[in-house]
């Protein structure tokens, strides 16, 4: 199947196998606002952003889950929805707390936000502070969400080069949550984000006393030289931890890094891989449930450009599937969402999660204006798409939007659309139906748990 090969080959043309591979909806380009799905997928509902989260750059970002609630990040703050009836989400609360990009996670009664832009101070009343990071505050904000109707801001921690994303790692005794903080850098002449910035920040949060949260380590995450040029930053973008396996996979802009996290404060580099021919911006990673595979994504163009077109090879701007055996990673194949997108539609591989089907490796993934793709990589050498949801372009010409994150949680797919808000999507397929029986109490996609027991 075109789009699922380790050989880049010639670029696909409109009407080729790549653009028609699994498109079961109306053929041809979509009109502005038009929705298309595969036969096994349907949109249950869409919840549009409410004021003040409906501004021109009030972009929806990541998702986290706990019980019957979904937490949706936004550049203006975050919203909590009750999803006891997935087809009718109810807004529980909305917290205005601006900061890019408000990457979000939850652990117990605590909620964490990543801020990766200098602010005038750490408070929710802060304003943008253009200039060097030394001239403002950026890092982690911490909220108490015991009362979900009235979340309470309790603390903050400044981190080197800010916090683009973070990963939660709860301690075995439940008394501490560690945050692996990822951020781009360095910035010349900056004291807080000085070259070479080949580290991550580890924040220790005492659950009973989150006001005492602090940076406890800044470990190096590269065993050999880190690729860096004008298109690739230092540091890491996303880190996915699999505490049960004592492993983490870090996507570090120019490299993929496998880590031993048996001691979460002292991670050890097991392997560092690169793919200079095909991968531009190593963005994120996902383990298979048995940790025998890792999917790394390439956010070619940083999410703001059109890379799902005939001019871009299928090996670029998509996913690379690696086998993991005896502690070593081996590249097996590439996968890219197979539907041709317009030149004005930003489209590239983005945030994803597994669909919990025992014995299978199935992923749901956001592709910005490419929509949501459901694909099977059980055979790591022959990945294939099995379902999809997508909208037409936002408008004629260039625009920024689409699905930022698409995750499976307790029977449905939840997608955070940058401008359209929260989508709840259902998939009805023999391959994925067993997942409907799996129930999770909470879910932060960058902290994996085994479902195959």
């Amino acid at each position: 199947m075109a789009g699922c090969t380790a050989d880049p080959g010639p670029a696909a043309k409109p009407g080729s196998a790549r653009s028609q591979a699994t498109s079961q909806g109306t053929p041809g380009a979509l009109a502005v606002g038009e929705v298309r799905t595969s036969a096994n997928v349907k949109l249950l509902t869409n919840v549009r952003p409410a004021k003040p989260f409906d501004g021109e750059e009030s972009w929806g970002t990541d998702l986290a889950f706990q019980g019957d609630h979904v937490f949706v990040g936004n550049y203006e703050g975050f919203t909590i929805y009750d999803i006891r009836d997935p087809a009718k989400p109810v807004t529980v609360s909305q917290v205005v707390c601006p900061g890019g990009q408000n990457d979000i996670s939850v652990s117990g009664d605590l909620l964490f936000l990543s801020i990766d832009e200098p602010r005038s101070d750490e408070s929710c009343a802060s304003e943008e502070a253009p200039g060097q990071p030394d001239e403002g505050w950026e890092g982690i904000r911490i909220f108490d969400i015991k009362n979900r109707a009235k979340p309470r801001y309790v603390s903050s921690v400044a981190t080197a080069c800010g916090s683009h994303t973070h990963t939660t790692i709860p301690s075995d005794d439940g008394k501490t949550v560690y945050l692996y903080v990822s951020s781009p850098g360095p910035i010349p002449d900056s004291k807080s984000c000085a070259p070479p910035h080949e580290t991550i920040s580890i924040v220790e949060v005492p659950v009973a006393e989150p006001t005492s949260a602090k940076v406890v380590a800044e470990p190096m995450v590269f065993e050999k030289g880190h690729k860096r040029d004008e298109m690739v930053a230092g540091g890491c973008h996303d880190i996915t931890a699999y505490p049960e396996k004592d492993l983490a996979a870090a996507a570090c802009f120019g490299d993929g890094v496998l880590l031993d996290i048996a001691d979460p404060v002292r991670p050890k580099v097991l392997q560092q891989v690169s793919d200079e021919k095909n991968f531009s911006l190593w963005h994120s990673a996902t383990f298979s449930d048995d940790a025998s595979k890792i999917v790394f994504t390439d956010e070619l163009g940083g999410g703001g450009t059109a890379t799902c077109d005939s001019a871009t090879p299928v090996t670029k701007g998509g996913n690379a599937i690696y086998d993991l055996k005896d502690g070593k990673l081996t590249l097996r194949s590439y996968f890219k969402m197979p539907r041709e997108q317009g030149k004005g539609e930003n489209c590239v591989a983005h945030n994803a999660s597994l669909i919990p089907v025992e014995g299978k490796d199935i992923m749901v993934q956001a592709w910005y204006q490419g929509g949501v793709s459901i694909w099977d990589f059980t055979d790591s050498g022959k990945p294939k798409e099995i379902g999809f949801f997508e909208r037409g372009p936002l408008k004629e010409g260039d625009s920024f939007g689409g699905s930022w994150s698409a995750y499976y949680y307790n029977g449905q797919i939840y997608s955070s659309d940058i401008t359209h808000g929260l989508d709840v999507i259902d998939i009805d397929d023999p391959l994925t139906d067993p997942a409907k029986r799996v129930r999770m109490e909470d879910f932060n996609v960058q902290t994996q748990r085994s479902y195959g027991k």
Side-chain angles (χ1 to χ4, degrees):
M1 173 180 174
C4 311
T5 174
D7 179 5
K13 301 298 182 183
S16 70
R18 175 182 163 190
S19 63
Q20 297 179 1
T22 55
S23 180
Q24 301 173 36
T26 304
L30 293 176
V32 173
E34 185 182 358
V35 170
R36 179 190 298 171
T37 71
S38 54
N40 56 355
V41 169
K42 67 177 180 180
L43 176 66
L44 291 182
T45 192
N46 167 256
V47 183
R48 299 287 295 191
K51 291 183 179 297
F53 292 6
D54 59 349
E56 186 175 348
E57 294 187 2
S58 300
W59 295 326
T61 60
D62 212 1
L63 304 168
F65 303 85
Q66 191 177 77
D68 295 322
H69 295 84
V70 58
F71 303 77
V72 185
N74 186 286
Y75 272 64
E76 299 298 329
F78 64 93
T79 303
I80 304 176
Y81 294 100
D82 185 320
I83 52 172
R84 278 176 287 186
D85 182 349
K88 297 180 180 178
V90 176
T91 302
V92 176
S93 60
Q94 190 177 54
V95 176
V96 177
C97 196
Q101 54 189 19
N102 274 334
D103 187 70
I104 193 167
S105 69
V106 293
S107 182
D109 291 334
L110 299 178
L111 178 147
F112 307 102
L113 294 178
S114 279
I115 313 302
D116 191 25
E117 63 176 13
R119 308 290 299 179
S120 56
D121 57 56
E122 67 272 26
S123 75
C124 289
S126 66
E127 299 178 348
E128 289 186 45
Q132 293 282 24
D134 308 354
E135 300 168 11
W137 177 92
E138 54 185 342
I140 295 288
R141 288 174 174 151
I142 305 173
F143 290 78
D144 185 318
I145 55 169
K146 188 173 184 179
N147 182 349
R148 290 177 179 136
K150 294 183 179 180
R152 183 170 57 91
Y153 181 31
V154 296
S155 186
S156 67
V157 180
T159 56
C161 301
S163 176
H164 196 68
T165 66
H166 66 269
T167 303
T168 59
I169 304 177
S171 64
D172 292 338
D173 61 11
K175 295 181 179 180
T176 305
V177 178
Y178 296 101
L179 306 181
Y180 279 19
V181 175
S182 303
S183 55
I187 297 177
D189 303 321
S190 165
K191 294 180 181 178
S192 61
C193 192
H197 187 54
E198 295 184 336
T199 61
I200 62 173
S201 297
I202 300 179
V203 175
E204 180 184 76
V205 185
V207 171
E209 195 177 354
T211 55
S212 299
K214 61 182 178 181
V215 175
V216 293
E218 293 182 331
M220 182 83 71
V221 288
F222 305 103
E223 64 176 2
K224 57 185 179 181
H226 181 50
K227 175 186 173 185
R228 184 182 298 113
D229 57 32
E230 62 182 13
M231 297 299 292
V232 180
C236 294
H237 190 286
D238 276 29
I239 300 172
T240 295
Y242 202 157
E244 291 174 45
K245 308 290 187 181
D246 289 335
L247 292 173
C252 299
F253 293 99
D255 304 89
V257 182
L258 182 66
L259 299 169
D260 180 329
I261 59 167
D263 182 345
V265 180
R266 298 173 180 82
K268 299 176 181 178
V269 175
L270 297 175
Q271 188 180 0
Q272 181 180 341
V273 295
S274 61
D275 185 352
E276 295 185 17
K277 180 180 179 182
N278 293 303
F279 264 41
S280 171
L281 195 160
W282 293 64
H283 175 275
S284 53
T286 304
F287 289 91
S288 62
D289 185 59
D290 64 0
S292 67
K293 308 179 184 80
I294 299 178
V295 176
F296 284 103
T297 67
D298 172 27
E299 195 184 26
L300 174 66
T305 58
T307 73
C308 301
D309 59 1
S310 60
T312 308
V314 297
T315 54
K316 297 178 182 292
N319 303 292
I321 300 98
Y322 284 77
D323 283 351
L324 175 56
K325 184 177 181 180
D326 299 327
K328 292 295 181 182
L329 291 164
T330 303
L331 177 64
R332 288 298 311 282
S333 66
Y334 297 93
F335 172 81
K336 190 168 185 177
M337 183 275 295
R339 288 168 311 288
E340 184 86 9
Q341 301 296 302
K343 294 182 178 179
E345 293 181 277
N346 60 301
C347 176
V348 75
H350 211 230
N351 293 350
S353 80
L354 298 179
I355 295 181
V357 179
E358 187 171 358
K360 298 288 184 180
D361 298 314
I362 302 174
M363 176 176 280
V364 56
Q365 185 169 28
W367 288 81
Y368 291 109
Q369 287 196 69
V372 175
S373 175
I374 301 103
W375 57 286
D376 185 336
F377 63 103
T378 305
D379 182 340
S380 58
K382 296 180 179 180
K384 59 184 179 181
E385 185 176 76
I386 62 173
F388 68 88
F389 163 86
E390 68 169 309
R391 288 188 172 91
L394 289 175
K395 59 182 180 181
E396 299 297 337
D398 294 340
S399 57
F400 179 69
S403 179
W404 180 291
S405 301
Y407 305 145
Y408 189 94
Y409 180 73
N410 291 353
Q412 273 74 44
I413 294 167
Y414 295 85
S415 168
S416 174
D417 189 285
I418 293 167
T419 59
H420 283 84
L422 179 67
D423 287 320
V424 185
I425 299 165
D426 187 66
I427 179 168
D428 183 9
D429 189 283
L431 274 174
T432 60
D433 285 348
K436 295 182 183 295
R437 299 192 293 268
V438 177
R439 285 292 179 269
M440 294 179 278
E441 295 181 1
D442 54 43
F443 184 43
N444 297 304
V445 72
Q446 289 180 319
T447 307
Q448 288 191 227
R449 296 177 181 173
S450 174
Y451 57 78
K453 293 182 179 179

